[in-house]
């Protein structure tokens, strides 16, 4: 595997169910969501796709408060002694009033539970 393969990324989505506010308070610095992860993966594109029709490849109907995060992830696991840039950036949207909107939950004060995770597939993309 060469360095280009080692640094290859794809987009991963994670769907969360909102469970309410946490009882205990945690302190820390929040990593804020971004509006673009590069290329066609922008918040505007994501919201347009989500609000036009069901884009999930499993049986799912969004519930009030559901949260969808999209982030970059390396295709290959980290190798000992091989550095790569950190991938902190993510986009986030929450289902409210019958549509997805750009927003996020505060990890330190809000409880969520992961429902499902998968790879973002673009139309025409082939494995």
């Amino acid at each position: 595997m060469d360095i280009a393969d080692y640094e290859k990324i794809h987009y991963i989505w994670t769907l969360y169910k909102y469970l309410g506010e946490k009882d205990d308070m945690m302190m820390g610095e929040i990593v804020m969501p971004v509006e673009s992860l590069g290329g066609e993966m922008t918040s505007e594109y994501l919201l347009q796709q989500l609000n036009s029709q069901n884009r999930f490849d499993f049986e799912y109907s969004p519930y009030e408060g559901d949260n969808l995060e999209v982030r970059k992830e390396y295709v290959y696991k980290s190798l000992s002694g091989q550095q790569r840039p950190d991938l902190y950036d993510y986009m986030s949207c929450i289902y409210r009033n019958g549509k997805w909107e750009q927003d996020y939950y505060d990890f330190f004060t809000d409880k969520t539970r992961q429902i499902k995770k998968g790879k973002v597939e673009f139309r025409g993309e082939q494995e």
Side-chain angles (χ1 to χ4, degrees), residues 32-92:
M32 301 296 286
V34 297
E35 291 192 24
S36 174
L37 293 174
E40 66 184 293
M41 187 50 69
T42 65
S43 292
E44 181 180 341
Y45 173 80
L46 179 62
L47 291 172
Q48 185 273 327
Q49 293 297 308
L50 289 171
N51 287 321
S52 65
Q53 59 184 301
N54 183 0
R55 294 292 184 177
F56 295 94
D57 60 357
F58 61 98
E59 193 168 320
Y60 168 71
S61 294
Y63 290 96
E64 189 74 13
D66 283 358
N67 176 222
L68 179 70
E69 290 185 355
V70 176
R71 66 181 65 244
K72 291 179 181 179
E73 186 175 90
Y74 288 109
V75 173
Y76 300 103
K77 297 211 180 294
S78 171
L79 298 174
S80 179
Q82 297 291 325
Q83 294 285 3
R84 293 187 288 198
D86 291 324
L87 300 176
Y88 293 117
D89 290 343
Y90 70 100
M91 295 186 316
S92 177

Side-chain angles (χ1 to χ4, degrees), residues 14 21 24 36 39 49 63 78 86-87 94-95 97 119 121:
T14 309
E21 293 183 4
D24 54 345
S36 174
Q49 293 297 308
Y63 290 96
S78 171
D86 291 324
L87 300 176
I94 296 175
Y95 191 77
N97 301 315
K119 180 182 171 199
E121 300 283 347

Side-chain angles (χ1 to χ4, degrees), residues 84-109:
R84 293 187 288 198
D86 291 324
L87 300 176
Y88 293 117
D89 290 343
Y90 70 100
M91 295 186 316
S92 177
C93 46
I94 296 175
Y95 191 77
R96 290 195 181 109
N97 301 315
K99 68 177 185 153
W100 292 96
E101 56 187 52
Q102 188 175 348
D103 203 354
Y104 67 98
Y105 287 117
D106 180 340
F107 170 78
F108 296 107
T109 60

